[in-house]
């Protein structure tokens, strides 16, 4: 199998900032899309490049997927270890998409206040460590709730760091089994 030099054909971690429709929750609008870049010198650490905080209308959800850029609907498994996020939300409700494509609740993380901005904005840091160790998932959903100030119409994300292992390309024909962490290492 030949490897492609086209970055759009190489699976990468992507973050979509999504706002659900206020009248119809099934209506989703992507407000921002960014790639997560591997942290220098760290195999399992990925950072969201946010030179300036990005914002999205509430209700706001971050969708993290591992896929090719032009085929966003063809998600691939990756191993979630945890994350940390700095945002103007006091809570982060965490769900994941399991290997069968079903959404599952993981936890709600209460954020801790870390600083106040120049314009009266408040920044909070939330953490998530997956109980029982890394698990294979197709996607991660982080709903930002309890925004501050409470009358703010936008969720703002200042930084995001994901701890995950990406499976390496299989050396033989495609397998229908879920790869293990040892195979991805």
């Amino acid at each position: 199998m030949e490897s492609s030099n086209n970055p759009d054909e190489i699976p990468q971690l992507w973050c979509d900032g999504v706002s659900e429709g206020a009248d119809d929750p099934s209506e989703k609008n992507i407000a921002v899309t960014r790639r997560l870049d591997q942290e220098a010198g760290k195999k399992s650490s990925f950072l969201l490049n946010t030179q300036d905080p990005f914002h999205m209308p509430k209700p706001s959800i971050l969708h993290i997927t591992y896929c090719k850029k032009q085929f966003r609907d063809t998600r691939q498994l990756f191993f979630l270890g945890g994350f940390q996020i700095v945002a103007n939300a006091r809570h982060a409700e965490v769900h994941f998409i399991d290997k069968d494509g079903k959404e599952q609740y993981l936890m709600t993380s209460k954020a801790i206040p870390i600083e106040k901005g120049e314009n009266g904005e408040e920044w909070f840091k939330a953490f998530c460590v997956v109980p029982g160790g890394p698990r294979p998932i197709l996607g991660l959903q982080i709903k930002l709730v309890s925004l501050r100030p409470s009358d703010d119409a936008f969720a703002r994300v200042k930084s995001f760091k994901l701890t995950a292992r990406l499976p390496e390309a299989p050396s033989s024909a495609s397998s229908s089994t879920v790869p293990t962490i040892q195979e991805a290492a």
Side-chain angles (χ1 to χ4, degrees), residues 43-95:
K43 186 173 184 176
S44 300
S45 183
F46 299 87
L47 302 172
L48 183 63
N49 183 5
T50 55
Q51 295 169 351
D52 294 318
F54 70 81
H55 63 277
M56 57 198 147
K58 65 180 183 181
S60 308
I61 302 174
L62 294 177
H63 288 268
I64 312 297
T65 54
Y66 178 58
C67 58
K68 297 178 183 177
K69 185 175 183 180
Q70 74 269 32
F71 299 113
R72 298 302 287 279
D73 57 341
T74 56
R75 298 176 292 202
Q76 297 180 23
L77 284 172
F78 66 96
F79 298 90
L80 174 66
F83 70 84
Q84 58 182 325
I85 186 169
V86 175
N88 67 331
R90 294 189 332 164
H91 298 90
E93 187 177 299
V94 185
H95 297 254

Side-chain angles (χ1 to χ4, degrees), residues 7-156:
D8 290 345
E9 294 181 17
I10 299 169
Q12 298 177 358
L13 283 166
W14 292 93
C15 175
D16 293 324
V18 177
S19 176
E20 293 179 345
D23 299 327
D24 180 7
S26 66
E27 194 177 299
K28 300 193 185 308
N29 302 310
I30 295 178
V32 64
T33 296
R34 302 244 173 108
R35 186 181 76 223
L36 276 77
D37 296 316
Q38 190 168 10
E39 188 174 4
K42 298 197 177 180
K43 186 173 184 176
S44 300
S45 183
F46 299 87
L47 302 172
L48 183 63
N49 183 5
T50 55
Q51 295 169 351
D52 294 318
F54 70 81
H55 63 277
M56 57 198 147
K58 65 180 183 181
S60 308
I61 302 174
L62 294 177
H63 288 268
I64 312 297
T65 54
Y66 178 58
C67 58
K68 297 178 183 177
K69 185 175 183 180
Q70 74 269 32
F71 299 113
R72 298 302 287 279
D73 57 341
T74 56
R75 298 176 292 202
Q76 297 180 23
L77 284 172
F78 66 96
F79 298 90
L80 174 66
F83 70 84
Q84 58 182 325
I85 186 169
V86 175
N88 67 331
R90 294 189 332 164
H91 298 90
E93 187 177 299
V94 185
H95 297 254
F96 66 92
I97 308 300
D98 68 15
K99 62 184 179 182
D100 297 323
K102 294 182 180 137
E103 181 178 328
Q104 302 218 7
Y105 173 81
L106 184 62
M107 68 175 53
T108 298
S109 177
K110 182 176 172 149
I112 54 173
I114 57 169
E115 68 180 272
K116 288 198 180 218
E118 298 170 4
N119 301 331
E121 61 213 358
E122 295 179 69
W123 295 107
F124 299 86
K125 183 181 273 191
F127 298 90
C128 169
V129 176
V130 176
R135 70 175 70 185
I137 65 169
L138 287 172
L140 174 65
Q141 298 177 0
I142 305 165
K143 184 172 186 176
L144 302 174
V145 292
S146 300
L147 302 181
R148 291 294 178 255
S150 59
D151 61 348
D152 201 342
F154 292 93
R156 291 177 176 73

